[in-house]
Amino acid sequence: MNHSFSCHCAQDERQRFLQDILLQKGYHAVAAELASEQELACNEVLSCKKIILLPVPVSEVMLKKMIPFFSKKHIILGGNLPKNFVTYCNEHEIACLDYMKIPEIAIENAVATAEGAIFHAIQISKYTLHQSNCLVIGFGKCGEILADRLYGLKADVTVSTRDGRHKAKARSYGYDVPEVIPYETFAFLFNTAPAKVITPSVIDRLSPDTVIIDIASHPGGVDYNYCIKKDIEARHCPGLPGKLSPKTSAEIIYKNICDLLQNMTR
C-alpha cells in the first residue's frame, strides 16, 4: 500500500515557544494558529505594538482570514512570507519581518531541517541509511547540511545541482556529482530544490523501494500523483523545524531578531 502524503498540516509549534519567549521578555505577542479573532485584534490600551506570529509556511487561506485584523498597531513575524502579503503590509504601513531572510537563521534552521528529513527517511524506509545510496537534489544551505549529516551516518552521498559553484563545493567535500544521474541506483532521494525536479521520467527509473523526502517549500518538487500511481513512497515535509525541534528553533529565531524587535517596537 502506498503511503505518499504531505506532512505539512501539523501546527508550527515553534510559534508557541517563540510566543512564550516574547511574553517573558515583556512583549505583547500571540501565535496566530492558536489565537482567537479577539486575540488577533489590537487592544487600544496597549502601550506598544502587538506581535503576531505566523506559522511557517503560512497558507494563503489563513492570511486571507487574518488580514482584516491587521493594522499599524501590529508587527507581523513569519518566514518565507508570500510576496503579495509583504507588499500589502508595506502599502498599509504594517510592520512585517520575514526572519527566514536573515542568513544566520536560515543556516541554523537548515540543521533542524536536515535532522527532520533524516527522521522521516528512517521512519518510512525498509533500509538503513548506513551504506545506502542517497541523492541530495540541490546544494544550498539545506542541501549542504543534509549531505553532511548523511555522510556522517556513513551513507553514500551523491549530489545533483545545476549551479557550477555548488558543484565545485560538493566535490570539495568528496561527494559524487555526476553529469548524468543514475536514479535507478538510489535507495533515498532528498529534494531541497524549489522546483518540480522529480518528474514522471525520473520516477519511472526508481527502484520500487526508493523513498523520496521532499523538504522544498509548497508545492514541493515531486509529482506526487505519479508517485501514487507507481507506488513509490514520497513525503512532502516543509517547515520541519517547527514540527520536530520547535523549542530550539524558537530560541534561534529570538536570538537573531531581538535587536530588530527592539527597534521595531520603539
Side-chain angles (χ1 to χ4, degrees):
M1 182 177 178
N2 184 269
H3 300 287
S4 299
F5 70 97
S6 171
C7 62
H8 72 276
C9 56
Q11 284 187 341
D12 183 357
E13 280 199 283
R14 88 190 101 177
Q15 306 308 326
R16 177 168 63 84
F17 289 109
L18 182 55
Q19 174 185 276
D20 292 343
I21 293 171
L22 292 172
L23 291 173
Q24 290 169 10
K25 299 295 181 179
Y27 292 101
H28 297 279
V30 59
E33 276 189 312
L34 308 173
S36 65
E37 292 182 358
Q38 185 177 2
E39 288 173 308
L40 287 176
C42 206
N43 188 335
E44 295 293 336
V45 302
L46 293 181
S47 58
C48 60
K49 293 184 177 181
K50 177 178 282 188
I51 300 171
I52 305 295
L53 307 173
L54 299 180
V56 182
V58 60
S59 70
E60 294 283 357
V61 173
M62 174 179 276
L63 286 178
K64 188 174 181 180
K65 288 180 179 178
M66 292 192 302
I67 277 178
F69 298 99
F70 295 158
S71 72
K72 296 178 183 180
K73 295 180 179 291
H74 289 108
I75 296 173
I76 313 299
L77 296 186
N80 301 321
L81 296 173
K83 290 181 180 179
N84 60 338
F85 176 69
V86 175
T87 299
Y88 174 89
C89 289
N90 291 336
E91 290 175 349
H92 292 80
E93 299 181 32
I94 300 169
C96 178
L97 174 61
D98 187 335
Y99 47 71
M100 290 308 295
K101 302 294 186 186
I102 299 173
E104 292 83 355
I105 291 179
I107 292 169
E108 293 189 69
N109 192 65
V111 173
T113 298
E115 289 186 7
I118 290 170
F119 163 81
H120 282 288
I122 291 171
Q123 186 181 56
I124 63 177
S125 177
K126 301 176 180 67
Y127 298 98
T128 62
L129 285 165
H130 176 75
Q131 294 187 332
S132 288
N133 288 331
C134 297
L135 177 64
V136 176
I137 301 173
F139 204 67
K141 297 179 186 70
C142 287
E144 182 176 351
I145 292 174
L146 176 56
D148 175 74
R149 297 303 187 266
L150 290 169
Y151 186 78
L153 291 170
K154 308 304 180 185
D156 294 320
V157 179
T158 297
V159 171
S160 173
T161 176
R162 297 177 181 177
D163 188 296
R165 191 167 51 88
H166 288 170
K167 286 181 180 180
K169 183 184 284 189
R171 289 193 182 102
S172 75
Y173 281 114
Y175 307 134
D176 188 20
V177 189
E179 291 302 319
V180 178
I181 306 297
Y183 291 103
E184 61 277 359
T185 67
F186 296 106
F188 298 88
L189 269 62
F190 295 89
N191 178 55
T192 72
K196 192 61 70 68
V197 291
I198 303 180
T199 59
S201 62
V202 170
I203 296 165
D204 280 337
R205 295 173 59 186
L206 300 179
S207 162
D209 289 332
T210 300
V211 166
I212 301 171
I213 303 296
D214 183 9
I215 59 175
S217 56
H218 183 77
V222 179
D223 189 325
Y224 288 98
N225 289 331
Y226 199 71
C227 283
I228 292 171
K229 180 179 178 181
K230 300 291 288 188
D231 201 28
I232 294 290
E233 295 272 12
R235 185 172 290 190
H236 188 205
C237 306
L240 285 172
K243 301 175 181 71
L244 298 179
S245 52
K247 198 162 188 177
T248 296
S249 300
E251 291 168 353
I252 288 170
I253 293 169
Y254 178 73
K255 175 180 68 177
N256 287 283
I257 68 171
C258 57
D259 291 341
L260 289 171
L261 272 185
Q262 287 180 2
N263 291 330
M264 294 172 78
T265 54
R266 284 173 183 165

